[in-house]
Amino acid sequence: MAKKKAKKDSVGRTSQPPKPAVAPPDDTNQPPKGAGYLTVVMKAVVLLLLTYGMAVYKVSPSTGRNLEATAESSEKETLASAPPTATPQSESCDHRFRSLLPMAADAKARSLPLMLHRNGEPEACGESTVGEFLEELLKNFRAYGCKPQLDKYRFEAMLTATLHRIMAKNNACHSMETYGDQTKGLLGYCDSGEDHTPILLDHDKLVPLGSKDGSTSLPCHFHTREGLRVTQAKWFSDLVRAASSGENKCEGDNATQTCTATPREAHLYAVPAGRVFMFAPSHVGEIFHLPHVTGASSKAIYLEVLSLKPRVFDVFNFFSRAESKELVDRAIAETSASHRIKRSTTGAGAASLNSKRTSESGFDTHGKTALTIKRRCFSALGFDEYEDGFSDGLQILRYNVSKAYNSHLDYIEDRTGELKHDYDSAGTGGNRFATILLYMSDLGENDGGETVFPHGIRSHIPEEERITKEEALEQLRASDQGSVLEPGSWEESLVAVCRSKLSVRPHSSRAVLFYSQHPNGSVDKNSLHGACPVLNDQKYAANLWVWNTPRDGFAGSPIKKKFRNNGASVAAKNLKITGVFSNSGTDPRMDRAELFYRDQFWGKLGKGDPVLKVNTYQGHVWNVKVDGNIVKTWEISEENGEKQEMTV
């Protein structure tokens, strides 16, 4: 593989956005209510019994091997797991199976190796062939009643059962965690147990797998190497078809072209229940093509690995210069107290000023471009559905000359233990797991403003050409580049770190991804990063933090044990209310009216302006302002119904 030369690099962090009373208003549907771990498992078992009958997976308690799947349909008909017999019924089932997975009859496809990986691991934990996989899958397809269509949760349960049985032959792909049960094989990896499985919004839809001893295990969900969640037979067929072709994929022009030889192997990545997919890089310069994610100018997004420790990626075609300009223009024009650009703060709960964070920042929570980029981010990170509560608003950052943000971590630490939200992401809590940083300014080689990763290595520079922090500081003081900084200051020291460690240089429309967690949810302290001082010109950037669960203030956000009421482990879902705001045009005093969510500008509500519709919730306060003064206020109450009209 011809490796593309890596670029120099950098990033920054920020404060948590203002916390709403219940859940912020949005323009998307709120996800279903979460539930307690055990309650949800039992509900799913009952659902499975009523719908498809009981699936019993006979597992040796000591080895987890000899999995035998049987099923009893709702008509009490026993569906055997043995190979199909030559009866019209089985022939019909087999025909249906082949129509869902056409490669089942393709000898070339069946001979392909099928490699199974644990989430985030570049090395496979187990191996089979597509043919063996299809044979086992057919048995489970029969056990599930040969349904012509399976929703993604039953499909994922079927994949889990199939791969568990195959991997159990060699005791492969079991849990490697100290709290894991290796005797359960893949099932023990997929279900990390009550104390290490976050309850996500779709938890009550998962279809658990039953065992002979009466216990149940939650299924994994499965992704391609590029992050596409395999939720239907078509995606698996496409995966096998791509692996069969073995075609090279190339990017760039003739001078800088990077070509990746695609091995003739199919790879699946198993992600435990309650966890989120993470890319599994094996070397610096590795390319991940994401053909299923459309980026700027309708081009497919692709990633290049900049560092393995921490895991940092350059993201190409993520957004355009036009989108970059739109974000900056909107941020500059924002006037609301909560979202306009002002001195940055830090901390969860009550935010405070930080002397070592001298940037300015604001938030864009519902701008058209911001929402487009947020959805694009979710797709690139392996989510198959957009959930607004899994991210903060897009934070817009401005760094003037000499301004910077000292090295810090993006995940939130509850130092007092008195915050209601459970931030322990290694257990059942939720925290920021990934950051996508967008650069919206062009800065030269000596202009500063990079994002630095102090634990990262400048692997794109030959080892003999790398310099130490002390050498970098000496060079800085010998030049006039650091003249805007006070000698001996933390800003000057940070520049030396920026020039001796892995750093990312800004240019407009460049994007960088890095993880703040390991695949098991534990925090990654190597993700420490800082925003280097700007030595010339001005830097605009934006952060998008994505969480492994809904964040504080949203339905389904995890609650710390000591604050749980009635055993509820996650925040309850509130009734979604459609708010309709309009101007009747009959009151001249309202000709220049504007609608605000508290102090956040939402839209024009003057005479002749279009009707504003928004999803809102109990306790939300909406203000109408004219010339900056509040002239009317509504507080949303569930007692007034699911659709409420407000007119000025």
Side-chain angles (χ1 to χ4, degrees):
M1 180 180 75
K3 296 182 181 177
K4 184 174 180 179
K5 187 176 180 180
K7 303 176 179 66
K8 299 179 181 179
D9 279 306
S10 160
V11 31
R13 150 176 172 127
T14 63
S15 64
Q16 196 176 15
K19 188 187 302 182
V22 183
D26 61 75
D27 298 313
T28 60
N29 293 329
Q30 283 290 315
K33 177 179 178 179
Y37 180 93
L38 294 177
T39 302
V40 168
V41 168
M42 294 311 298
K43 284 174 62 180
V45 172
V46 171
L47 176 62
L48 184 60
L49 284 169
L50 293 176
T51 309
Y52 291 101
M54 175 174 285
V56 181
Y57 296 87
K58 299 179 180 178
V59 185
S60 166
S62 59
T63 65
R65 301 181 184 180
N66 302 321
L67 182 69
E68 179 180 344
T70 63
E72 185 178 331
S73 72
S74 56
E75 289 81 18
K76 306 300 181 183
E77 176 186 7
T78 300
L79 303 176
S81 62
T85 56
T87 64
Q89 182 178 5
S90 64
E91 289 173 358
S92 174
C93 185
D94 291 0
H95 176 75
R96 185 174 293 167
F97 182 78
R98 287 192 296 270
S99 67
L100 291 172
L101 293 158
M103 91 286 292
D106 185 337
K108 179 182 177 182
R110 293 177 66 89
S111 66
L112 282 175
L114 176 61
M115 318 298 289
L116 184 63
H117 301 248
R118 299 182 188 91
N119 186 29
E121 295 184 4
E123 298 297 328
C125 59
E127 180 178 354
S128 179
T129 64
V130 171
E132 181 184 21
F133 170 81
L134 291 173
E135 289 173 6
E136 293 295 338
L137 187 66
L138 175 57
K139 296 174 185 178
N140 282 295
F141 183 67
R142 293 184 188 131
Y144 273 78
C146 299
K147 302 295 180 181
Q149 290 184 334
L150 294 172
D151 68 25
K152 72 177 184 181
Y153 301 104
R154 290 188 173 86
F155 185 73
E156 289 172 340
M158 196 165 67
L159 290 184
T160 302
T162 299
L163 289 166
H164 169 72
R165 179 166 182 164
I166 294 172
M167 296 302 140
K169 296 175 182 178
N170 296 307
N171 195 26
C173 297
H174 52 71
S175 174
M176 299 296 289
E177 304 296 338
T178 56
Y179 51 78
D181 186 348
Q182 294 188 8
T183 66
K184 290 188 175 181
L186 181 63
L187 293 183
Y189 170 74
C190 293
D191 189 335
S192 299
E194 183 178 358
D195 293 333
H196 295 89
T197 302
I199 307 300
L200 301 186
L201 296 168
D202 61 353
H203 191 79
D204 56 349
K205 296 181 181 179
L206 301 181
V207 179
L209 307 176
S211 297
K212 184 178 180 180
D213 61 4
S215 64
T216 58
S217 298
L218 296 174
C220 278
H221 49 103
F222 298 88
H223 296 249
T224 65
R225 172 181 172 273
E226 297 74 25
L228 177 66
R229 185 168 175 174
V230 182
T231 59
Q232 53 181 287
K234 180 184 184 304
W235 302 142
F236 183 78
S237 296
D238 290 346
L239 171 67
V240 173
R241 188 179 301 110
S244 299
S245 68
E247 297 177 353
N248 291 346
K249 296 182 179 179
C250 299
E251 293 285 348
D253 55 30
N254 292 333
T256 62
Q257 191 174 70
T258 299
C259 293
T260 305
T262 305
R264 295 182 184 274
E265 299 171 344
H267 292 257
L268 279 176
Y269 292 75
V271 182
R275 294 295 171 192
V276 289
F277 169 82
M278 293 188 185
F279 290 104
S282 61
H283 61 272
V284 172
E286 183 179 8
I287 301 294
F288 288 80
H289 295 272
L290 278 58
H292 59 288
V293 185
T294 302
S297 304
S298 299
K299 296 180 180 178
I301 291 173
Y302 68 98
L303 280 61
E304 180 181 352
V305 180
L306 297 177
S307 170
L308 297 178
K309 190 177 181 180
R311 284 167 296 164
V312 185
F313 306 79
D314 228 336
V315 188
F316 293 87
N317 301 330
F318 188 77
F319 75 128
S320 67
R321 285 181 176 266
E323 289 173 322
S324 172
K325 184 177 184 303
E326 288 172 14
L327 291 173
V328 172
D329 290 346
R330 181 179 172 86
I332 293 173
E334 179 64 63
T335 59
S336 68
S338 61
H339 282 47
R340 64 179 174 82
I341 291 181
K342 54 186 178 296
R343 174 69 185 273
S344 299
T345 57
T346 59
S352 59
L353 294 177
N354 184 336
S355 62
K356 294 187 177 181
R357 184 185 187 189
T358 54
S359 62
E360 298 172 296
S361 61
F363 281 92
D364 191 340
T365 56
H366 64 282
K368 181 179 179 180
T369 301
L371 289 175
T372 297
I373 287 176
K374 286 177 69 174
R375 290 177 179 275
R376 194 178 295 160
C377 174
F378 274 65
S379 297
L381 287 174
F383 288 81
D384 65 325
E385 296 179 11
Y386 172 74
E387 299 289 359
D388 192 60
F390 276 68
S391 70
D392 297 88
L394 193 66
Q395 186 180 47
I396 311 298
L397 301 161
R398 181 168 64 196
Y399 291 85
N400 294 317
V401 171
S402 80
K403 304 307 179 185
Y405 189 5
N406 209 10
S407 299
H408 59 278
L409 296 160
D410 273 359
Y411 58 80
I412 296 172
E413 296 181 275
D414 181 4
R415 299 183 186 279
T416 66
E418 294 305 314
L419 296 176
K420 183 177 179 181
H421 181 89
D422 182 2
Y423 289 98
D424 181 14
S425 54
T428 59
N431 215 317
R432 295 167 178 165
F433 90 93
T435 298
I436 287 190
L437 181 65
L438 313 177
Y439 298 106
M440 301 180 292
S441 301
D442 292 305
L443 294 179
E445 184 174 358
N446 296 316
D447 290 341
E450 305 94 343
T451 299
V452 65
F453 296 87
H455 295 310
I457 298 173
R458 308 183 86 187
S459 55
H460 59 288
I461 297 177
E463 188 171 355
E464 63 273 12
E465 296 180 18
R466 299 172 195 168
I467 60 175
T468 65
K469 177 182 175 181
E470 291 72 24
E471 290 171 330
L473 185 59
E474 184 178 344
Q475 291 178 8
L476 176 66
R477 289 175 175 174
S479 70
D480 61 355
Q481 296 166 6
S483 60
V484 297
L485 305 176
E486 182 180 344
S489 64
W490 67 267
E491 292 95 338
E492 185 187 55
S493 177
L494 183 57
V495 172
V497 176
C498 296
R499 295 186 175 186
S500 58
K501 295 295 183 179
L502 174 66
S503 60
V504 182
R505 188 197 307 167
H507 65 70
S508 182
S509 76
R510 185 178 192 178
V512 169
L513 160 68
F514 64 92
Y515 289 115
S516 295
Q517 292 179 18
H518 295 293
N520 65 359
S522 61
V523 295
D524 184 0
K525 294 184 178 180
N526 286 312
S527 64
L528 185 77
H529 60 282
C532 304
V534 173
L535 304 178
N536 181 47
D537 211 342
Q538 187 180 59
K539 168 188 166 185
Y540 276 95
N543 277 338
L544 184 64
W545 295 302
V546 183
W547 295 56
N548 66 298
T549 69
R551 64 185 177 90
D552 186 23
F554 278 80
S557 59
I559 301 172
K560 201 171 295 175
K561 284 186 177 180
K562 67 180 181 179
F563 294 111
R564 294 175 185 175
N565 296 321
N566 302 320
S569 60
V570 296
K573 177 184 176 183
N574 303 100
L575 175 67
K576 183 179 71 175
I577 297 167
T578 300
V580 182
F581 300 89
S582 62
N583 190 318
S584 65
T586 59
D587 188 345
R589 295 174 300 173
M590 300 295 180
D591 287 353
R592 298 189 305 278
E594 295 177 322
L595 181 66
F596 287 74
Y597 169 63
R598 298 186 182 275
D599 288 325
Q600 174 190 335
F601 174 74
W602 201 263
K604 298 286 187 180
L605 196 61
K607 183 178 180 179
D609 288 326
V611 173
L612 297 174
K613 293 184 179 180
V614 64
N615 293 338
T616 186
Y617 300 88
Q618 169 85 20
H620 282 182
V621 175
W622 295 91
N623 294 315
V624 175
K625 294 185 180 182
V626 175
D627 298 332
N629 299 313
I630 297 177
V631 296
K632 195 172 185 62
T633 296
W634 291 285
E635 181 171 347
I636 302 299
S637 172
E638 293 182 354
E639 295 179 356
N640 296 326
E642 296 185 21
K643 182 176 181 180
Q644 300 179 24
E645 298 182 2
M646 282 70 74
T647 304
V648 295

